[in-house]
Amino acid sequence: MAELRNVDLNLLLLFQHLLEDRNLSAVARRMDLSQPAVSNALRRLREAFGDDLFVRTAQGMLPTPRAQRLAGPVSEALTMLSQALKDQDVFDAATSTRRFRVAMTDVGEIHFMPRLMEVCVQVAPLVRIDSVRVQGPDLPREMETGRVDLAIGAFDEMGAGTLQRMLFRQGYATLFRQAHPTAHAGMGLKAFRAERHLIVSRAAPYGQVNQSMERAGVDLAEHFSVPHFSAVPYIVSATDLLATVPEKLAASAAPPFGLRYMTPPIRVPALQTNMYWQRRVDRDSGNQWLRTLIVNTFAVGA
């Protein structure tokens, strides 16, 4: 309890804001304080915890391992305290100006963002949704600190404090241009292997399709590749390359790019897409609204 007596609420707010902004000047503006006052508060915070907590780098004030361990508990405590000290806010989509940050991959952006933007215009005209690209071990940390409100995709190792809900499962489809001389629905494995393919080299978390193609005898090193899915429809529409992608991407890309798609003659495990959020925001009315919107718009069997 000695440390707790040395930490007032404003120091914890400073800690939370530094986690989110990584910049002393930005935190000073956010807390309506002078930069010397913020620097002094950071000094007191460091003394209270016996750790630097944040280290100045070219990328901003980065948290130390001790600060990263504190991030989740401090953020959760501040959220609970904030909710306890005020009447329960009721999120009004029609008037709210809230900005949500949702982590998703590039293929997720293609599927989710157009419809989310369309629905927001209709029912929440002042609400804004920012897509952010965070993967791997950084994603749970960004959600713990409040820098990311939700995540949608096929992410692994999200941490004990993360809740999730399945949205849908999908297979894979192979895209090709309408005038392709040899590709066609129902083509066999031998003909499939003989075609030229476009490989998405950084397909995580969708890399299982590349593994399946290799098991089927397609030598990935012999084919063209791009790091992300977003360029695939443009390239396939202008070449005789085949690209095997998540089924929903194929369905959305085929009409505007003049493409066709077929079920590939290889075995690929179905891809499950989930929605993830932190337990600490489970009762936040705005987060609840966004989760309900996503489920009603995209979930199969909702």
Side-chain angles (χ1 to χ4, degrees), residues 164-296:
Q164 67 182 55
R165 200 259 198 214
M166 189 186 82
L167 296 178
F168 52 79
R169 292 169 63 84
Q170 63 176 316
Y172 286 81
T174 299
L175 282 169
F176 56 96
R177 68 185 184 95
Q178 288 185 2
H180 196 290
T182 52
H184 58 87
M187 69 186 302
L189 178 58
K190 183 177 179 180
F192 182 82
R193 283 199 300 251
E195 294 289 346
R196 294 186 303 153
H197 294 268
L198 179 63
I199 307 299
V200 181
S201 59
R202 298 179 186 174
Y206 311 103
Q208 58 193 8
V209 67
N210 293 343
Q211 297 170 7
S212 296
M213 291 181 69
E214 286 185 318
R215 285 194 296 267
V218 178
D219 188 349
L220 303 187
E222 293 182 356
H223 298 276
F224 296 96
S225 70
V226 291
H228 305 293
F229 285 102
S230 54
V232 167
Y234 293 91
I235 297 172
V236 173
S237 66
T239 67
D240 285 334
L241 298 176
L242 274 58
T244 302
V245 302
E247 194 172 39
K248 290 185 181 295
L249 172 60
S252 62
F257 285 92
L259 304 175
R260 298 170 62 191
Y261 59 95
M262 63 178 179
T263 301
I266 59 175
R267 291 181 176 272
V268 188
L271 179 68
Q272 180 170 310
T273 297
N274 298 328
M275 176 173 62
Y276 306 86
W277 67 98
Q278 280 284 300
R279 187 182 301 277
R280 66 179 179 80
V281 299
D282 189 48
R283 296 185 180 182
D284 176 80
S285 59
N287 199 285
Q288 288 178 334
W289 172 84
L290 181 58
R291 298 196 311 263
T292 300
L293 174 66
I294 291 171
V295 168
N296 291 341

Side-chain angles (χ1 to χ4, degrees), residues 110-132:
I110 294 170
H111 180 67
F112 292 108
M113 288 300 285
R115 183 64 179 141
L116 285 176
M117 293 174 181
E118 181 183 8
V119 173
C120 280
V121 168
Q122 296 171 355
V123 303
L126 301 179
V127 167
R128 295 294 178 264
I129 297 177
D130 296 331
S131 170
V132 296

